[in-house]
Amino acid sequence: MRKFKFHSLEYVLLRIIEKFLVILPRPVALFLGQSIGFILYLFKIYRKVVLKNMEYVGLWEKREMDKIIFNLYLNIGRYAVDFLRSPAHIPPYTIHNYEIVDPLFAQNRGIIVLLAHFGNWELLAEIFGKTIPNLSVVAKPMRNSKVDNWLAEKRKKTAVTTIYVDQALRKMLESIKRNGMVAILIDQDPGKHGTMVKFLGKDANTVRTVAGIVHKTGCAVLPTYAILRKDNSYDVIIEKADPVSHEGKTDEEIIAAYQLQHNEIISEWIQKNPEHWFGWF
């Protein structure tokens, strides 16, 4: 009963904040989000976790890490604002490399969109959901069912279907066979279903599902992200991951090669813009 009340209160507060942010001019709302991020930074919410993770990968000096962490907290507030305001108010954006998408659909093998907790990944569904038929996203159900239903409804308004992880493999394969597009976040711990692969230079438990499907079906892979620019518009970057060589490799070695390729792509994003990756938390 107590859990139900807490989840109900959490949901109501979220909806109130959402409604409030929608009526504000976007520059004001972004400033408010940035200010909340600054408060979280001042109160050191999760800062030990972030610092420990950054020290572990060992890519930056202490002074650089301090600057990255400060900007990371400001960014999480700004991205949260745009997430809550959409799809009613989609922010300005520029898409780069969209011309590579249609030829891949013409191959009739389906497409997997490779995502990370980098930038505004939910914005991508809102941008492409109404223009690309048969677009699905793979997601973990949230602990709060009311919030989970709210999020699913947001995606549904943009004509995006949610595939939950317990059905992911079957549903992803069905969509790929229909020449559909499936988006999935791969920078999360898959537990016993993953294998150790290099990520940011360190061994990390890495999801096998995407690499296995790519090897099985020959579908295309489009690593994609949406990142905020200084003028508060977004750059939506679409990339293409080339097929790895199969020559002289076993099935397991091919899957491992795809896993490594995908991890290296995301690692490159993070190394260029570490203050936009929320996996540090």
Side-chain angles (χ1 to χ4, degrees), residues 199-238:
F199 177 64
L200 288 172
K202 302 291 183 180
D203 287 336
N205 194 13
T206 300
V207 63
R208 286 173 54 89
T209 307
V210 174
I213 291 175
V214 174
H215 177 42
K216 180 181 178 66
T217 67
C219 67
V221 177
L222 292 179
T224 306
Y225 63 90
I227 192 170
L228 259 174
R229 300 191 300 197
K230 290 183 179 180
D231 65 357
N232 290 331
S233 66
Y234 281 86
D235 272 328
V236 177
I237 310 296
I238 301 173

Side-chain angles (χ1 to χ4, degrees), residues 39-163:
I39 292 169
L40 295 175
Y41 173 83
L42 287 179
F43 281 90
K44 300 184 178 181
I45 307 299
Y46 284 103
R47 264 176 63 184
K48 285 185 179 180
V49 174
V50 173
L51 181 60
K52 183 179 179 181
N53 286 330
M54 294 195 74
E55 288 176 339
Y56 176 70
V57 300
L59 294 174
W60 298 277
E61 299 294 333
K62 179 66 167 62
R63 184 177 295 180
E64 291 177 294
M65 287 193 293
D66 289 341
K67 184 178 179 181
I68 291 167
I69 292 170
F70 176 75
N71 288 323
L72 176 71
Y73 276 83
L74 300 187
N75 282 335
I76 198 169
R78 297 165 71 209
Y79 281 118
V81 163
D82 274 340
F83 166 67
L84 288 170
R85 284 170 52 88
S86 61
H89 298 289
I90 295 180
Y93 60 87
T94 302
I95 300 176
H96 302 267
N97 307 324
Y98 187 80
E99 67 276 3
I100 67 178
V101 177
D102 287 340
L104 294 178
F105 272 124
Q107 294 177 5
N108 202 36
R109 291 184 177 181
I111 297 172
I112 289 180
V113 179
L114 209 65
L115 304 179
H117 293 90
F118 184 85
N120 191 339
W121 59 94
E122 290 287 349
L123 176 65
L124 297 169
E126 290 147 17
I127 291 174
F128 297 117
K130 292 183 178 179
T131 58
I132 294 179
N134 196 13
L135 174 59
S136 306
V137 296
V138 179
K140 288 183 178 180
M142 304 187 75
R143 292 181 190 145
N144 187 332
S145 60
K146 292 180 180 291
V147 174
D148 191 59
N149 291 335
W150 164 78
L151 183 55
E153 281 299 314
K154 281 172 74 76
R155 293 184 183 129
K156 190 175 179 180
K157 287 178 182 177
T158 59
V160 174
T161 301
T162 300
I163 297 174

